[in-house]
Amino acid sequence: VQDMPVIEICCRVLGSLALDSEANQVFLREAGANRMVCDCLRKGFCNRQALEAIADLAYGSPDNRRELGRYDAVVLVVKSMEKDMSDLVAFDIAVMALTNLVQDDVHNASRLQTQKVRFQEGGKECKLSVYALLSHRLGSDGLVLGERACILMMALSMCCANDPKAQSEIGDANGCWSVVERVKAGAGGSRDEAHPQKCPGPDAAVLRQGLQLISDLATRHSANQDRLREAGGLELLWRLLPEFARDPLDAARWLLTASMLAEGNPINQQRLVDLGVPAQAMGLRKQFPEDEEVLDSVLGCLTALAANNRSHQDHIGSLGACEMVSQVAMRAVENPHLLTRCCSLVLALSELQKFDA
């Protein structure tokens, strides 16, 4: 069939049927839907509709992701980006398709890591990795739509979670600066005096997705931790506290980001302590006393801030952390994860430090 309107309708129907229905996903896979939508991209048919169908078929279905990968869906989606870089809607759909394809799929993630996108910019031919292209787009002054920023940050976070090389490549491509600047814009600040933001108030979705990406980039990656600090990420995190202290899930997200920025990085650790993060962590524990996720994040944050620094140990202990962890440990005897968190904090607050004289 080469009747374009018919193929467009088929792609739309396939995607709609696949969403939120495991039985339909199985039926569509067995009927050859994955191969069909990949063939559409391969032959240049119905670009947007085929991309949407791939995104929908890959969403929530590991089996569909694997089969789409075997049909070269990752490569085909990347190639589709090259056709018209100015088609922002198609670009967004392609990014969502890649996000869904690499989720919990090492093979697809490794294929994406090797792909390059060729395009024209300023009269010159450019070639960038997908990670570098997404980082570049995230930092672009032309990116004024918050939803578009969220799509890019979600994709970069998914890459970090599924490809061990992603953190370094995104960091090397100026991705740390890009996400800090984008979150600043989402908070209502301006990127610089020449480009004031039109957003009248904070964009909650951008802030949440931005903190997730900052956390993912910083996790056990000292170079990115340094880059995020140099971009102003620590001060930004502190400035965002009022926005994230209203809801327990947001508070836990804020604490986790502080932990990932501080863990194993003495400079970041010191700066966050100087800003007052330990006292705020204890305050969030009191604000949400019954929320286990907040408690878990408080314990992790204080552990990261106390480790290997005697003055930090003394300061955090003076805030009541020793009494708190003792009380929590007494009640957590049947919760192995929480008990492990308590033990980690006890060690961080009390063990002999290798940096001590």
Side-chain angles (χ1 to χ4, degrees), residues 98-319:
L98 291 175
T99 302
N100 294 346
L101 284 167
V102 303
Q103 183 179 6
D104 299 326
D105 193 298
V106 175
H107 173 74
N108 286 347
S110 64
R111 290 297 301 275
L112 181 62
Q113 194 268 332
T114 63
Q115 297 304 303
K116 303 290 184 183
V117 182
R118 294 169 177 80
F119 59 97
Q120 295 285 331
E121 187 171 277
K124 297 181 180 179
E125 182 171 329
C126 303
K127 182 171 73 171
L128 292 175
S129 71
V130 175
Y131 299 154
L133 177 63
L134 298 184
S135 299
H136 174 71
R137 282 286 177 109
L138 184 61
S140 169
D141 285 331
L143 189 66
V144 296
L145 183 63
E147 182 181 359
R148 187 156 289 139
C150 286
I151 290 171
L152 291 169
M153 291 189 289
M154 189 185 303
L156 290 169
S157 278
M158 192 65 71
C159 292
C160 288
N162 292 280
D163 179 7
K165 297 181 180 178
Q167 282 177 298
S168 295
E169 292 210 14
I170 295 166
D172 290 342
N174 219 22
C176 294
W177 178 87
S178 294
V179 65
V180 170
E181 289 298 300
R182 185 53 52 195
V183 175
K184 285 180 183 177
S190 60
R191 295 168 64 83
D192 56 60
E193 293 181 359
H195 298 87
Q197 297 301 307
K198 297 179 180 179
C199 180
D203 186 326
V206 169
L207 300 187
R208 292 188 181 107
Q209 195 63 54
L211 253 60
Q212 181 65 56
L213 179 54
I214 288 172
S215 178
D216 291 334
L217 288 171
T219 301
R220 291 183 290 278
H221 199 291
S222 59
N224 280 352
Q225 289 172 334
D226 291 340
R227 288 166 174 146
L228 289 162
R229 181 187 68 250
E230 292 161 3
L234 305 188
E235 288 75 15
L236 174 63
L237 180 69
W238 179 252
R239 183 158 65 91
L240 291 176
L241 177 58
E243 294 294 328
F244 283 80
R246 302 169 183 169
D247 175 84
L249 187 61
D250 284 341
R253 181 182 286 111
W254 188 90
L255 290 160
L256 176 63
T257 305
S259 303
M260 295 302 100
L261 287 165
E263 188 175 27
N265 191 303
I267 299 175
N268 285 4
Q269 185 187 48
Q270 184 65 57
R271 182 60 183 144
L272 289 168
V273 169
D274 290 343
L275 285 168
V277 171
Q280 293 300 328
M282 293 294 293
L284 289 170
R285 162 64 179 153
K286 293 177 182 176
Q287 185 176 341
F288 303 108
E290 304 302 322
D291 193 282
E292 189 170 306
E293 191 162 356
V294 170
L295 173 59
D296 180 76
S297 298
V298 168
L299 294 170
C301 183
L302 294 177
T303 299
L305 293 172
N308 296 322
N309 191 298
R310 183 67 72 196
S311 66
H312 294 177
Q313 290 176 329
D314 293 342
H315 173 61
I316 293 170
S318 72
L319 296 171

